[in-house]
Structure formats: structure tokens, C-alpha cells
Amino acid sequence: MGSTSCGPLPPLAVLVLGLVAERPMHPYEMFQTTIERREDRLAKFRPGTMYHTVDRLTAKELIEVHEVRREGNRPERTVYSITDRGRQALFESLEQILERHPTEYSELYLALAEAHGLPRERVIELLSTRLDAMRADLADLDAAAAVVRDRGTPEMFYLDVGCRIATLATQIDWVADLVERLRTSTIEWLDDPDSPYHGSAVVAGPSLQKANDE
């Protein structure tokens, strides 16, 4: 954990290290801060998983106990700060993640690759439902970006939002175009009566490598 040869740290570990690099925090404050900033968009977690990540980072000496606080009758709260080793691990992880371009196994890509096995009308229905959700998500992202811009927050603190908006907008355009082509039958489909593949149980598509070679 933290070694370049082992690859970048897990997303939640990077998030926690980024938080304590700002200032010392106790785990519940980390959780509250991520929710307030809507940074739960960056990693999937619950309070329990955040505490577990803090324990792991402490065991790896990437963070350390800064102080133990007691406020009134509340239980003691352990505050953590980042170590030099943790800061180096954070930097190395960010460098690797920004630089590399790994293969991502998107469920959407998988479903699109196999969608010809469903009836044309059903695919239109399903993708139309998906488009509604995607457009709602895009509207939420646009609204969130507007809020932070109005607050005067420097763009460097929410670059991921801009990337998400651009990526999602492009994907919406592509899926919407696909739905239109399906509706107007300008794209061949397996259940078309005049399709040479009509009635086939399995259709083997050409590999991308073969298509590129040709």
C-alpha cells in the first residue's frame, strides 16, 4: 500500500489521505466533510468503511494519531494527520491515476455489445428509460457546478465535475442517436424479418482487432 509497484491506493484511501492532507480530522469529520462537499461521488463508502480505511492507513503508517479530543460528555474522538510517508503515497497514487489509461469494464458497454439479443422495441424502451436518468443526472451535475462557481470556488477543486459533465453529455448524445436509429430502423437488428441473421440463436460479431486489421 503506497508503493509504486503495487499500483495506486484504493479510491477511499486516496480520499481519506486527501482530507487529512488539508488538516487533521477524526473519522466522523471525514465522513461529514465528504457528504457536505458531495465527494461521495468520488468513492463508494459508508461510515463503517471509512473507519476501516482509517485503521488500515494507520497500520501502514500513512496517517497517525494527531490528538485525542474530548468535548463535554461526548466520547473521545481520535484525530488523525497525514505522515510524510502518507503524503508521498498520496502523490504517487494521484500521479499514476492521472497518467494511466486502464481498460474499464463498463456494464453499459457489455449490455450494448449483447443488446442485439433483445427485441428492437424492448431496447428502445430500456435505453429511453436510461436516457431519462442520464439527463436527470446531467441536470444535477450542472446545478452543482453552478453552485460552486457562484461561491467563487476555484475550478481546480472540482475538475472531476467538468469531466463528468462533458463525458455524460457526449454519452447522452450517442445513446439518443442510437435510440432514434432504432426507432427509424436505420440500424439493422436481429429480429428484423428481412435480416439475414433473423432466427439465429447466436451471432458472432467480428473482433475489433480483425476489423482494425482489415
Side-chain angles (χ1 to χ4, degrees), residues 20-64:
V20 294
E22 294 180 24
R23 68 179 187 276
M25 294 187 189
H26 54 77
Y28 187 66
E29 184 182 6
M30 298 175 199
F31 178 77
Q32 287 181 311
T33 301
T34 55
I35 297 302
E36 289 170 1
R37 296 177 178 176
R38 298 185 65 178
E39 289 185 342
D40 49 331
R41 69 186 186 275
L42 305 176
K44 184 178 181 179
F45 65 90
R46 300 185 303 273
T49 55
M50 181 160 281
Y51 278 91
H52 178 67
T53 298
V54 168
D55 289 341
R56 289 190 63 196
L57 293 174
T58 304
K60 296 292 184 180
E61 298 181 351
L62 301 183
I63 62 176
E64 62 186 3

Side-chain angles (χ1 to χ4, degrees), residues 38-97:
R38 298 185 65 178
E39 289 185 342
D40 49 331
R41 69 186 186 275
L42 305 176
K44 184 178 181 179
F45 65 90
R46 300 185 303 273
T49 55
M50 181 160 281
Y51 278 91
H52 178 67
T53 298
V54 168
D55 289 341
R56 289 190 63 196
L57 293 174
T58 304
K60 296 292 184 180
E61 298 181 351
L62 301 183
I63 62 176
E64 62 186 3
V65 175
H66 178 74
E67 65 176 338
V68 177
R69 294 177 185 167
R70 178 182 289 278
E71 299 175 359
N73 295 325
R74 294 182 178 180
E76 289 184 344
R77 286 185 170 178
T78 304
V79 177
Y80 295 88
S81 59
I82 194 168
T83 63
D84 289 340
R85 183 176 176 181
R87 198 176 299 276
Q88 182 63 30
L90 174 61
F91 290 168
E92 290 181 2
S93 291
L94 292 173
E95 288 175 347
Q96 291 177 68
I97 295 170

Side-chain angles (χ1 to χ4, degrees), residues 108-118 189 203:
L108 175 59
Y109 297 162
L110 172 63
L112 287 171
E114 301 298 332
H116 55 262
L118 293 173
W189 209 248
V203 178

